[in-house]
Amino acid sequence: MTSSIEHVDDRVMAILVTHERPPKASPVSATITHLWRGIMAFKHFPAQLIDIILLPAIFLLLFTYLFGGAFAGSPSQYLQFFLPGIAVQSVILMTVYTGTAINTDINKGVFDRFRTLPFWQPAAIAGNLVGDVLRYLIALTMTIGMGLALGFRPGGGILGVLAAMGVLIVFAFSVSWIFAAIGVVASVPERVSGTSMIVIYPLLFMSNIFVRPETMPSWMQVLVKVNPLSHAATASRALMHGTAGFWDVMWALIASLVITVVFAPLAVRLYRSKNTR
Amino acid sequence: MSSPPTLAIETSGLRKLFGQTKAVDGIDLRVPPGIVYSVLGPNGAGKSTLIRMLATLLRPDGGTATVFGHDVVRDSDAVRRRISVTGQYASVDDALTGLENLVLMGRLQGYTWPKARQRAGDLMDAFGLTHAAGRLVSTYSGGMRRRLDIAASIVVSPDLLFLDEPTTGLDPRSRNQVWDIVRALLAGGTTILLTTQYLDEADELADRIAVVDQGTVIAEGTTDELKASVGQVALHVRLRDPGQRDKAEDLLTQELGVPVHLEGDPAEMSARVEDNSRVLQALGALTRASIEPAEFSVTRPSLDEVFLTLTGHKADDQSAGDAGEEAAA
Ligand SMILES: Nc1ncnc2c1ncn2[C@@H]1O[C@H](COP(=O)(O)OP(=O)(O)OP(=O)(O)O)[C@@H](O)[C@H]1O
Ligand SMILES: [Mg+2]
């Protein structure tokens, strides 16, 4: 460590004389670079994988055996209804992590440096969200794989399951913009998870993920019907079981689009104004 | 290149408020290109706030600032293409390796992957970090982290580099390394604005110095000009017999040709002296008059003494309130 430094002067100087000016990074290239950054960080701390794998597994086992008998006569019968729904929960809980991760990230000194570089700034957030798609994929594979092992038999076959995964990933990506926005404005990561859980748990339970809405009071049925998570669960169920009509899937996609159109620009605007607080 | 040459930095009445705190309270700066310019000031003087405004990280509340002629608010993209910042607290990513950090910077500034990797490798090498290139930055020592931080700022060599207290907390060897790097950057054509709390650092590196306190510039000039106003060295004398102090004061004033400051301790006095050789003469004169110093010291003026001279009171006294707030926050 000591010996190498004696020449620092000449060698740094030698490097500095090449006053190269590479062309400005394109938005796509900047986003890919941020994605790479996320993947490298993940690679160095693979322990994060435990959360992604365990959380869906625990909820799946818990609810299947806790509610299965009471709701549907037997756990395995309940599983046919429940699994496509819990798949929604698996990815949605991952989107909350997105907000926490963005907040942790933004409060790092390195973000100050990013802000002074002349690249397309939303790439710093977009790269994170694209990276999270990998998490969704792992969480979904985990959930569905366990479901199959426990006796879930999708009528839609492998194509149906893949289509459902595709729709759920699109949906989760859109929802992650909501938590990205919360992640940008929150002062500390703990507050992100706190706020997010307050939003997410009522939405999860006030949906058709766990039970059919027919037994609920009518006012609640209305709420369940407009809940975007219900649209996602309906699409997931219909695709996995091969019964999907056009609107079953369409509502989930429309909900995704609306959420993205509202929250993506909001998150980016908040991020930019945070720059010059 | 163009005439008249554009200033690297020009500010006029620059202000930033945080609630009641006037962090930067009307600063006018003119920094020509091709020099090291140092902003010297105690904790809470407003150094970091000033840098963050110039680096487009913070919006000024008043006044104007341009970097190479581009307004930092209206034309921040143009400013960002010319500058780089090494913040006071390491702005590298702990979750990546040293090498990955530099690759990241290269990519975000438009290098291709192979070019970014090569540039990153070269810089790790030049900064003596090759042995740690594959280690997570969280395992780096303070000095290594600082060097990496500076390396990250020059992946694409900027025309203007901001260094916010680059050597605070470093041991003397690491500090020398950082100084070497600064000189090399300057020789490579980069203008450098550096903040520091240490007068000797400003003295060592800077062509011009602005002394800031409580958000305002209280003195500005070349290093020589500033030293002339403060004195080259500080002579500190402590007498055996406090009763002789009046006589000693007269003698010293006469021999040194500068006013002598009487300290709180009745046996002590000090003076700031332009000319080293006069110190010896003055001490000789004391001995001849049978006034015995119990001890004496000759030191280069510290930041405290600069403040004492420029403001008439110590830096600590002034920033005590701010420091308290900071600690409480
Ligand atoms: N984000 C902030 N919110 C509130 N007050 C702030 C903020 N940033 C700085 N200040 C206040 O502004 C004043 C100047 O702070 P600044 O960080 O610019 O000082 P500095 O010269 O860099 O000090 P140091 O040598 O300790 O780094 C201080 O009183 C500080 O408490
Ligand atoms: Mg500071």
Side-chain angles (χ1 to χ4, degrees):
Chain A
M1 201 165 96
T2 19
S3 59
S4 56
I5 208 68
E6 269 137 42
H7 305 294
V8 74
D9 219 335
D10 297 346
R11 304 185 60 182
V12 172
M13 194 138 35
I15 278 181
L16 285 181
V17 288
T18 48
H19 271 287
E20 255 181 302
R21 299 260 163 231
K24 187 172 161 170
S26 72
V28 173
S29 142
T31 305
I32 290 174
T33 303
H34 277 285
L35 172 62
W36 171 81
R37 172 175 165 264
I39 293 173
M40 287 300 125
F42 193 84
K43 201 182 94 187
H44 298 308
F45 297 98
Q48 300 173 50
L49 206 56
I50 294 175
D51 280 355
I52 305 180
I53 290 175
L54 281 189
L55 203 60
I58 289 171
F59 279 118
L60 176 60
L61 288 173
L62 199 67
F63 288 130
T64 303
Y65 291 104
L66 196 66
F67 301 149
F71 290 177
S74 79
S76 85
Q77 264 174 304
Y78 182 54
L79 196 61
Q80 309 309 318
F81 168 82
F82 177 59
L83 189 108
I86 193 75
V88 176
Q89 173 171 324
S90 293
V91 289
I92 290 303
L93 289 180
M94 292 299 137
T95 63
V96 176
Y97 278 105
T98 301
T100 318
I102 285 191
N103 184 270
T104 313
D105 232 20
I106 283 184
N107 290 325
K108 280 183 180 175
V110 71
F111 261 70
D112 269 357
R113 197 191 282 288
F114 291 158
R115 286 175 188 138
T116 60
L117 296 180
F119 67 86
W120 183 68
Q121 291 294 311
I125 295 180
N128 258 308
L129 298 203
V130 174
D132 288 330
V133 167
L134 296 177
R135 284 180 212 232
Y136 308 149
L137 208 57
I138 297 171
L140 281 177
T141 309
M142 187 62 210
T143 307
I144 296 169
M146 271 194 72
L148 292 172
L150 294 177
F152 174 62
R153 294 294 169 260
I158 186 137
L159 281 181
V161 170
L162 289 179
M165 285 171 78
V167 170
L168 289 183
I169 286 175
V170 168
F171 182 72
F173 182 77
S174 76
V175 172
S176 67
W177 283 107
I178 301 178
F179 296 106
I182 296 176
V184 170
V185 288
S187 50
V188 288
E190 291 71 36
R191 198 154 296 163
V192 181
S193 34
T195 312
S196 304
M197 291 308 170
I198 290 172
V199 176
I200 211 75
Y201 273 111
L203 281 176
L204 278 174
F205 287 106
M206 231 194 300
S207 75
N208 62 9
I209 289 180
F210 299 95
V211 287
R212 291 178 213 281
E214 285 83 62
T215 61
M216 301 176 188
S218 58
W219 61 269
M220 189 171 251
Q221 285 191 33
V222 174
L223 290 179
V224 168
K225 219 165 220 158
V226 297
N227 183 349
L229 295 185
S230 297
H231 293 307
T234 300
S236 171
R237 219 160 257 152
L239 285 167
M240 287 196 196
H241 287 305
T243 61
F246 178 77
W247 285 107
D248 289 336
V249 177
M250 219 37 209
W251 276 117
L253 295 178
I254 291 172
S256 305
L257 187 72
V258 170
I259 294 172
T260 308
V261 164
V262 174
F263 285 94
L266 180 69
V268 169
R269 170 106 42 94
L270 290 170
Y271 176 69
R272 280 189 193 271
S273 68
K274 190 161 182 143
N275 285 4
T276 48
R277 185 170 28 172
Chain B
M1 272 176 270
S2 57
S3 57
T6 319
L7 289 171
I9 300 171
E10 185 168 17
T11 74
S12 159
L14 199 60
R15 291 159 53 79
K16 182 75 197 181
L17 306 175
F18 293 111
Q20 296 294 320
T21 313
K22 292 173 179 166
V24 169
D25 192 15
I27 283 191
D28 303 322
L29 282 187
R30 294 170 62 83
V31 179
I35 68 164
V36 177
Y37 193 98
S38 177
V39 174
L40 177 68
N43 288 138
K47 304 183 294 295
S48 299
T49 306
L50 174 65
I51 281 201
R52 292 175 65 79
M53 284 192 285
L54 294 175
T56 75
L57 288 170
L58 206 57
R59 188 185 291 272
D61 289 328
T64 58
T66 59
V67 169
F68 294 113
H70 305 291
D71 188 279
V72 295
V73 177
R74 272 170 311 168
D75 211 359
S76 55
D77 272 350
V79 172
R80 288 172 180 181
R81 274 193 277 278
R82 308 290 297 274
I83 63 162
S84 226
V85 197
T86 303
Q88 182 168 5
Y89 306 104
S91 31
V92 283
D93 194 341
D94 271 348
L96 298 180
T97 68
L99 190 74
E100 285 166 355
N101 263 285
L102 299 190
V103 172
L104 177 67
M105 290 306 143
R107 283 285 304 159
L108 291 178
Q109 291 176 87
Y111 278 125
T112 60
W113 286 106
K115 193 78 199 56
R117 288 210 180 85
Q118 194 209 322
R119 178 82 181 141
D122 285 352
L123 282 172
M124 291 304 275
D125 206 15
F127 282 76
L129 291 168
T130 307
H131 65 287
R135 262 165 51 193
L136 290 183
V137 172
S138 51
T139 69
Y140 279 27
S141 75
M144 292 162 72
R145 191 182 280 261
R146 218 62 181 116
R147 273 182 281 151
L148 180 70
D149 213 347
I150 297 176
S153 300
I154 60 165
V155 170
V156 171
S157 3
D159 296 321
L160 172 62
L161 174 63
F162 295 102
L163 293 174
D164 196 358
E165 299 194 24
T167 64
T168 301
L170 297 190
D171 69 17
R173 209 192 71 221
S174 301
R175 197 165 74 141
N176 277 322
Q177 290 169 353
V178 171
W179 287 1
D180 279 350
I181 292 166
V182 170
R183 291 191 194 100
L185 288 170
L186 181 70
T190 298
T191 305
I192 293 151
L193 185 121
L194 152 139
T195 73
T196 180
Q197 300 187 29
Y198 309 117
L199 186 63
D200 64 333
E201 178 159 284
D203 185 18
E204 193 72 36
L205 295 173
D207 299 294
R208 291 188 74 87
I209 299 175
V211 183
V212 292
D213 186 38
Q214 293 183 311
T216 58
V217 175
I218 56 174
E220 204 271 349
T222 64
T223 320
D224 287 342
E225 284 166 0
L226 204 73
K227 278 210 254 155
S229 73
V230 177
Q232 289 280 4
V233 295
L235 171 67
H236 198 94
V237 179
R238 185 186 159 83
L239 302 174
R240 253 184 230 298
D241 175 7
Q244 294 181 311
R245 189 163 80 159
D246 287 347
K247 198 173 162 203
E249 184 192 358
D250 289 345
L251 256 177
L252 287 179
T253 309
Q254 191 184 330
E255 291 291 330
L256 295 171
V258 293
V260 172
H261 180 78
L262 298 178
E263 301 288 344
D265 183 321
E268 288 187 20
M269 62 192 114
S270 64
R272 268 158 290 279
V273 188
E274 290 287 332
D275 180 357
N276 268 326
S277 61
R278 284 196 159 188
V279 172
L280 288 177
Q281 284 175 33
L283 289 172
L286 283 187
T287 318
R288 279 193 299 280
S290 310
I291 301 173
E292 266 185 279
E295 56 188 48
F296 68 87
S297 63
V298 180
T299 50
R300 296 164 68 78
S302 66
L303 181 59
D304 274 352
E305 283 156 328
V306 174
F307 270 85
L308 205 53
T309 313
L310 293 173
T311 67
H313 44 127
K314 289 201 171 176
D316 291 356
D317 304 340
Q318 297 177 319
S319 61
D322 291 338
E325 279 169 38
E326 254 170 308

